[in-house]
Amino acid sequence: MRTPRAALTAVAAALGGLLLTSGQLAPAQAADAAPGAAVAELPDNAVFHNYPANVHNWVAANPNDPRQPLIASRIASQPQAVWFSNYRPTTVTQDVAAVTSAAAAAGEVPVLVSYMIPNRDCGGASAGGAPTFAAYLDWVEDFAAGLGDGQSVIILEPDSLALTTCLNPTQRAERFNALATAADLIHAASPEARVYFDAGHSAWHSPATMAATLREAGVLRSGDGIYSNVSNYRTTADENAFVQAVLAQLGAPDLRAVIDTSRNGNGPLGSEWCDPPGRRVGQNPTAATGNRLIDAYLWVKLPGELDGCDGPAGSFSPTRAYELAGG
């Protein structure tokens, strides 16, 4: 049987003592240290895995719905991220392994979202997460155990760095240390995993502010890159400029970026982020971005799954999916 705290302590010791044996998070150390051994970059011809999700279930269950053909052809046909957002510590390893093994069998790259940080979304529409940071890091260890030895893309905790207004300085430091440790645990278990840290999006924080936050959270030591626009609608052009500016501020030549293009085909509706009408899906997922700093355009937020205004966050709306698909 796994001994989570002992295993975590051993990993933390090897990584410079990010965690004390009591389970208390130590102050961040060497945040500007050079990253460890480089993870293999995503090749331009990488194919991302399309693992069944809510949209596939709806398409299969509604063959006679007049919206079904368009939703099937424009959304369900595209590879999308798999979110791990429900706290199920006893099954997370096998749940992750189901995704990664299916991707490996197909010769494809899975995209997985770890969404379990305590005090998630500052108590907003997507509130939840692990009950404590000790429980969170145990969960991450189990999450990482399912990744296997193939290449994978890990979107580490959306909004965890861009949204910190509910945290006091102690809580902020605790979160940031946990994120760096989580990335280290993932790399230790699955060296081919590429872990990307939250950079918000182009209309949220300035590149300088976001770079400073990322640096504080240990991206230079523990990350492979950054991501932007998750669950938002900013244009690909704006996000390209933004992430390149953040990377320039970080000054780390090995870091790269991925951008969520799942719902940005029509760009934003002003500043509205919660289920705005009239949006469209954006560029299909691809690793052939034509920009060496941008590893991939991905569909991280699943088109048709709500933000929390037109229904519970994460629930599937065929009406919204049909609209996004161009109906």
Side-chain angles (χ1 to χ4, degrees):
M1 178 178 290
R2 184 179 64 88
T3 54
R5 186 53 52 204
L8 184 56
T9 301
V11 171
L15 295 168
L18 282 171
L19 213 69
L20 301 179
T21 55
S22 66
Q24 297 296 314
L25 290 166
Q29 299 176 8
D32 292 339
V39 177
E41 293 187 7
L42 285 171
D44 287 350
N45 64 352
V47 176
F48 298 109
H49 187 61
N50 189 4
Y51 193 76
N54 284 337
V55 64
H56 303 88
N57 296 334
W58 184 88
V59 165
N62 295 274
N64 298 319
D65 191 299
R67 300 168 295 184
Q68 194 261 21
L70 182 60
I71 293 174
S73 65
R74 189 65 189 95
I75 295 178
S77 65
Q78 296 302 315
Q80 300 166 48
V82 181
W83 287 64
F84 291 84
S85 56
N86 295 316
Y87 186 59
R88 296 170 181 161
T90 60
T91 65
V92 63
T93 300
Q94 66 192 56
D95 294 341
V96 171
V99 177
T100 56
S101 60
E108 297 170 347
V109 178
V111 179
L112 304 96
V113 181
S114 166
Y115 196 45
M116 201 56 63
I117 198 77
N119 200 9
R120 188 174 69 198
D121 198 31
C122 281
S126 297
T132 66
F133 281 105
Y136 170 67
L137 291 172
D138 283 344
W139 180 90
V140 170
E141 190 178 13
D142 287 333
F143 172 92
L147 291 173
D149 56 8
Q151 195 162 50
S152 60
V153 168
I154 310 300
I155 305 298
L156 186 65
E157 305 299 336
D159 292 346
S160 59
L161 297 180
L163 180 59
T164 60
T165 52
C166 61
L167 306 178
N168 63 37
T170 299
Q171 292 169 330
R172 179 183 171 103
E174 189 174 34
R175 172 179 287 191
F176 288 7
N177 277 317
L179 290 168
T181 303
D184 291 336
L185 287 168
I186 290 168
H187 283 133
S190 182
E192 293 301 306
R194 292 186 62 80
V195 182
Y196 298 84
F197 282 50
D198 173 40
H201 59 73
S202 59
W204 200 340
H205 300 291
S206 71
T209 296
M210 204 65 246
T213 301
L214 284 155
R215 188 184 299 274
E216 184 182 351
V219 71
L220 298 182
R221 179 188 64 249
S222 301
D224 299 298
I226 63 175
Y227 61 83
S228 75
N229 208 40
V230 167
S231 297
N232 212 276
Y233 302 84
R234 303 292 150 179
T235 67
T236 302
D238 284 350
E239 294 309 298
N240 266 287
F242 172 68
V243 296
Q244 289 179 92
V246 174
L247 291 172
Q249 289 279 339
L250 287 169
D254 291 334
L255 294 182
R256 298 291 184 266
V258 295
I259 295 169
D260 186 357
T261 60
S262 60
R263 305 186 300 180
N264 72 349
N266 275 356
L269 182 64
S271 61
E272 180 55 64
W273 62 269
C274 191
D275 297 321
R279 302 308 92 198
R280 294 288 184 270
V281 293
Q283 181 169 344
N284 289 348
T286 181
T289 67
N291 186 328
R292 68 176 187 84
L293 293 177
I294 312 297
D295 273 344
Y297 300 132
L298 302 172
W299 283 13
V300 180
K301 175 69 175 182
L302 310 184
E305 294 195 3
L306 298 175
D307 297 320
C309 290
D310 290 350
S315 60
F316 181 75
S317 167
T319 300
R320 186 48 52 86
Y322 185 66
E323 183 180 50
L324 285 165

